[in-house]
Amino acid sequence: NAGVTQTPKFRILKIGQSMTLQCTQDMNHNYMYWYRQDPGMGLKLIYYSVGAGITDKGEVPNGYNVSRSTTEDFPLRLELAAPSQTSVYFCASSPDRNSYNEQFFGPGTRLTVL
Amino acid sequence: AQSVTQLGSHVSVSEGALVLLRCNYSSSVPPYLFWYVQYPNQGLQLLLKYTTGATLVKGINGFEAEFKKSETSFHLTKPSAHMSDAAEYFCAVRTPNRDDKIIFGKGTRLHILP
């Protein structure tokens, strides 16, 4: 049981380039989330999904897109990378809507946009 | 709306001393509360959570937290700090049966002095 896995671990992009951050979970969780973490700012929710085919915006969705075609995968797409998107990105999942269930986090992707 | 405030972005304690990390929340209904720990270059992992019942909650690695409704607080403590406790700690709140999202505080980095 690998939990939540993310690839790549590190990436450097040039301004205007695009990329997809991959996230996969093998716990059969319905709920999945994407966060970005900036120093001193905690975690900000970018997008989340409550099941395959359903996604919704979080607090900071601009500049990102997501899709959820399967229960396992929840990729995050950056279309036109900007320096403001330099951050550490975390994917997380939780089993269902029950609020007492914590979220399980992946190890993160450190992205630098130059 | 829910919110979480962590007092002190950095806290330093000597090895063997008491650890106290402060968290106050705002919620219109009794919330579910979480403490997560993040070790360097890793994702977040759950330390402990409060849902219902006993207000003193014990977690991993000797940490515990007490839910105080009258003070809207959920402070994290450990009687004796160890060098391995050096990490960043996040308090989080989730509204039962109302929201699919967890709101995170900005984090407190704990430094352990030899």
Side-chain angles (χ1 to χ4, degrees):
Chain A
N1 197 336
V4 180
T5 57
Q6 292 182 238
T7 56
K9 283 188 167 48
F10 304 94
R11 184 72 185 269
I12 298 174
L13 283 183
K14 294 182 180 178
I15 294 172
Q17 286 186 320
S18 62
M19 77 164 293
T20 299
L21 282 67
Q22 301 292 345
C23 174
T24 300
Q25 53 91 9
D26 62 0
M27 297 174 283
N28 202 32
H29 287 174
N30 285 321
Y31 284 59
M32 296 187 74
Y33 309 81
W34 273 107
Y35 295 91
R36 60 176 288 169
Q37 184 182 31
D38 300 301
M41 300 302 293
L43 279 80
K44 302 284 188 184
L45 183 65
I46 305 171
Y47 271 95
Y48 68 105
S49 168
V50 302
I54 306 170
T55 62
D56 208 347
K57 295 178 180 178
E59 192 178 353
V60 289
N62 291 344
Y64 307 95
N65 276 302
V66 293
S67 59
R68 184 93 182 272
S69 57
T70 66
T71 299
E72 296 78 18
D73 300 305
F74 190 41
L76 178 71
R77 179 86 177 159
L78 284 70
E79 290 294 349
L80 291 170
S84 60
Q85 293 177 306
T86 294
S87 188
V88 182
Y89 291 84
F90 289 99
C91 180
S93 71
S94 65
D96 52 36
R97 198 175 191 275
N98 289 323
S99 299
Y100 54 81
N101 282 318
E102 71 270 21
Q103 295 181 356
F104 296 81
F105 284 81
T109 294
R110 188 175 295 273
L111 177 66
T112 301
V113 182
L114 301 174
Chain B
Q2 305 163 84
S3 66
V4 178
T5 302
Q6 292 184 240
L7 284 175
S9 56
H10 291 265
V11 170
S12 296
V13 302
S14 298
E15 192 174 17
L18 172 72
V19 175
L20 171 60
L21 304 183
R22 298 178 188 274
C23 173
N24 288 88
Y25 69 89
S26 171
S27 177
S28 57
V29 298
Y32 293 155
L33 296 160
F34 306 83
W35 274 101
Y36 285 83
V37 61
Q38 184 182 30
Y39 297 104
N41 300 315
Q42 294 186 28
L44 281 70
Q45 62 184 85
L46 184 72
L47 261 183
L48 49 80
K49 65 182 177 184
Y50 169 78
T51 55
T52 58
T55 56
L56 181 62
V57 180
K58 294 187 186 299
I60 62 172
N61 301 337
F63 283 94
E64 61 183 36
E66 186 170 12
F67 170 59
K68 292 188 176 181
K69 185 179 177 182
S70 61
E71 299 177 8
T72 61
S73 70
F74 191 56
H75 301 330
L76 182 70
T77 60
K78 181 174 180 177
S80 177
H82 192 273
M83 295 301 289
S84 60
D85 295 327
E88 189 153 22
Y89 293 80
F90 293 91
C91 183
V93 62
R94 193 169 188 175
T95 302
N97 302 319
R98 185 176 296 183
D99 211 307
D100 301 313
K101 302 183 287 293
I102 289 179
I103 305 298
F104 287 89
K106 292 186 176 181
T108 297
R109 185 166 296 279
L110 177 64
H111 304 271
I112 309 297
L113 306 173

